[in-house]
Amino acid sequence: MLPSFHHPKALLGKAVLLSLLPSPATSAFNPLPAVPNTPLNQQQQVPLDLNPPFDIREATISSIHNALLTGLTTCHTLISSYLARIEAFNPLLHAILSLNSHALDLASTIDVHLSSGNSSIDQPLLCIPILLKDNFNTHEMPTTAGSLALSQNTPLHDAPTVSAFKKAGAIILGKTNMHEFALEGISVSSLGGQVINPYDPSRTPGGSSGGTGAALAANLAVVGTGTDTVNSLRSPASANSLWSWRPTRGVVSREGVVPVGWTQDAVGGMARGVEDLGVLMSVMGMSMAGNGMGTESDNTTVLVPPEIKGRDYSKALYGGLGKLKGLRLGVLNGFFNHTAGEETTPVNEVMAKVLRRLEVAGVQLVNITEPVYDTVAIAAKLDVQTFEFREELDAYLEKTTYTDGGDGNGNGTGPRSFSDVYTLGKKQFVVLPSQYSYIRNAFNRSTSSPEYFVRQYGIQQLKTALARTFSTNKLDAVVYPEQKNLVVKIGSPSQSGRNGILAALTGSPVITVPVGFSNATETAPLGVPIGMEILGRPWTDDLLLGIAKHVDEALGPVRRMPAGGGLDKVVEVQGGGYEKVPVVRTDNGNIPGVYPLGVY
């Protein structure tokens, strides 16, 4: 079964009717067609809608702010439009787990503010609907990490990143489905089922932040968040034709986020355009230590240089930083699969075109063939998740507050430890068969294990090797495909072929950019999206954003709105909009049978 929605009884006194229009509505993005230069009496008299609805498809932060200031829309109407798309398409995508019941009230408050003589946008994310991966603590909504066992986990406080969004004027619209506990890239969970790729329903959306990726691609919000322990932000960005940012370690606080591992975890964002990503980066950067948001428990933020704190990354988009002419980019040869095949050849062909285009734009490409850059070998020898996960999850669960009974003070019956979650026989978790050994090892490994210290030493050597590659070759950044092959199909053993481990272990910043599509197929009418990673030295996040901007300009328009299942159509909101926020009824009925619940 697909997830269903409970419709509130009163929506401005009328039922909400959803209508998929066959063509784009007129809006700021789709202006009225030109009137032919013929006498009036010879023209067909067609009444024009002088107040057309605002088209939220592919809307940006700046276009929404312009629409609010010019009266083309109100914040309440805008949020209603996104709720209508969610009702229409989330049953197909399984991308959203819950919605914020206060979203419309917040929108109405913003409308009052704007209509009372405040004719300027004084907050960078004012009225911008944002979706949070459901491992970010929010006090208005449960924080589940996609786990049935945590379905009643209701934190007392927002994560610092969430507080930063609210301070910037954003409307937290809801929480997104994810690969359970962010342990893989298939994006399947015991709570919300399998997230579907909006470009190809036979494929996964990447992950673990797959719900955010699918939702943004389908225009269910404007921007969103994710976490990244190995690939989890960059994989869904690549698979959904989006931009993403994995920050330099420490730039964004990880406090208040369900953890996997202290060494590799990062918190970042996704957007449909590089300008929106820049705004998101600036706001998220305000969540680091020393800003009064209580982030001191993530001690990596203390190490951030003073000049980085509070940086406005959007300036990198307009000051010429990262211009391509004369730029030196390393191409990591070991991060390609040069064996021809249906899944690999499209990636190699797209990347070859991109690299040629960059050379034409004046980039000096440096082929990096050092054997150290082998993702499979790096992950096998140095990944430390299984040594840290149990301890990190235990520490988080000790502080959880559950609303499922108990004494009324948050002391419900939810799990308080890793062992409580992974109790065999309880069909409250899903683990991929390829990860059964991961969970078993996590029971027995810890940060006191001798092997853990060997791996940490190896990580330091990897950091040194990467720094040497940059200095020896005088590189500004390195590039490679996020995934050697197309994002895998639903039911696959794992999300194979991804290249995220280098940044995860070294703490290096990465911007992922959409660079193309595979050829169209019966299930993928536009093709499958392909993304490229741009990795830099620590603290060069702004340089990478600038490079990404200029890469975008060199390639020309790449992103395409999904077309299958009516995703490219307008969803019309009848009446005056929503009076109450619908309630998502989660359903895990589409979990592939090869991923049985309660087993490892």
Side-chain angles (χ1 to χ4, degrees), residues 11 21 48 120 158 180 184 258 274 319 329 387 392 408 413 423 431 457 461 542 587:
L11 300 172
L21 303 183
L48 296 178
S120 63
D158 291 330
E180 191 159 328
E184 235 281 353
V258 182
V274 66
L329 297 180
F387 296 89
E392 292 284 322
T413 59
T423 300
V431 177
Y457 176 71
Q461 290 182 309
D542 55 345
D587 183 2

Side-chain angles (χ1 to χ4, degrees), residues 224-257:
T225 69
T227 57
D228 192 314
T229 305
V230 182
N231 297 276
S232 296
L233 268 161
R234 296 161 284 160
S235 168
S238 174
N240 291 280
S241 197
L242 301 171
W243 304 75
S244 74
W245 172 51
R246 178 188 168 109
T248 300
R249 190 166 185 259
V251 166
V252 178
S253 172
R254 304 172 298 180
E255 171 71 11
V257 177

Side-chain angles (χ1 to χ4, degrees), residues 255-467:
E255 171 71 11
V257 177
V258 182
V260 177
W262 183 84
T263 299
Q264 297 173 213
D265 281 355
V267 169
M270 281 185 263
R272 288 188 296 270
V274 66
E275 291 84 3
D276 286 358
L277 186 66
V279 176
L280 199 62
M281 291 168 63
S282 298
V283 173
M284 296 188 79
M286 294 302 296
S287 67
M288 66 178 64
N291 65 354
M293 292 182 178
T295 65
E296 287 74 11
S297 65
D298 182 5
N299 59 14
T300 61
T301 63
V302 179
L303 303 177
V304 177
E307 64 272 16
I308 301 297
K309 295 182 179 181
R311 172 168 286 179
D312 181 0
Y313 290 99
S314 294
K315 290 181 179 179
L317 300 172
Y318 308 108
L321 192 63
K323 285 185 177 179
L324 298 185
K325 188 173 183 179
L327 205 68
R328 290 180 62 84
L329 297 180
V331 181
L332 297 186
N333 185 66
F335 282 25
F336 290 74
N337 183 342
H338 296 291
T339 303
E342 290 184 357
E343 300 294 303
T344 56
T345 297
V347 175
N348 292 333
E349 290 179 346
V350 165
M351 285 298 300
K353 292 177 182 177
V354 170
L355 295 177
R356 285 197 297 270
R357 190 72 62 86
L358 293 181
E359 282 190 306
V360 169
V363 172
Q364 299 176 43
L365 298 179
V366 181
N367 191 29
I368 305 299
T369 59
E370 298 170 53
V372 67
Y373 299 116
D374 178 333
T375 55
V376 175
I378 291 171
K381 295 177 181 178
L382 301 180
D383 192 303
V384 294
Q385 292 178 77
T386 57
F387 296 89
E388 297 176 345
F389 181 41
R390 177 173 53 82
E391 294 177 358
E392 292 284 322
L393 188 59
D394 281 349
Y396 176 87
L397 293 176
E398 285 176 1
K399 298 180 287 186
T400 51
T401 52
Y402 295 103
T403 56
D404 57 339
D407 59 7
N409 294 314
N411 298 314
T413 59
R416 295 290 174 187
S417 68
F418 175 90
S419 298
D420 289 346
V421 171
Y422 293 106
T423 300
L424 286 171
K426 283 188 177 181
K427 294 189 175 182
Q428 291 195 313
F429 65 85
V430 62
V431 177
L432 303 187
S434 62
Q435 284 202 304
Y436 287 172
S437 61
Y438 180 111
I439 299 300
R440 294 168 185 165
N441 286 335
F443 269 103
N444 301 311
R445 291 176 172 177
S446 73
T447 55
S448 298
S449 302
E451 176 67 16
Y452 179 71
F453 296 98
V454 173
R455 293 186 177 222
Q456 288 288 357
Y457 176 71
I459 290 171
Q460 295 305 313
Q461 290 182 309
L462 181 64
K463 291 180 179 179
T464 300
L466 181 60

Side-chain angles (χ1 to χ4, degrees), residues 158-217:
D158 291 330
T161 43
V162 178
S163 297
F165 290 135
K166 291 181 177 180
K167 187 176 181 181
I171 293 180
I172 309 300
L173 190 58
K175 309 289 284 292
T176 58
N177 201 1
M178 55 184 283
H179 196 99
E180 191 159 328
F181 285 109
L183 298 186
E184 235 281 353
I186 298 295
S187 289
V188 63
S189 73
S190 61
L191 181 60
Q194 173 68 62
V195 184
I196 306 299
N197 190 308
Y199 290 93
D200 184 346
S202 72
R203 294 183 184 267
T204 65
S208 61
S209 310
T212 300
L216 294 184

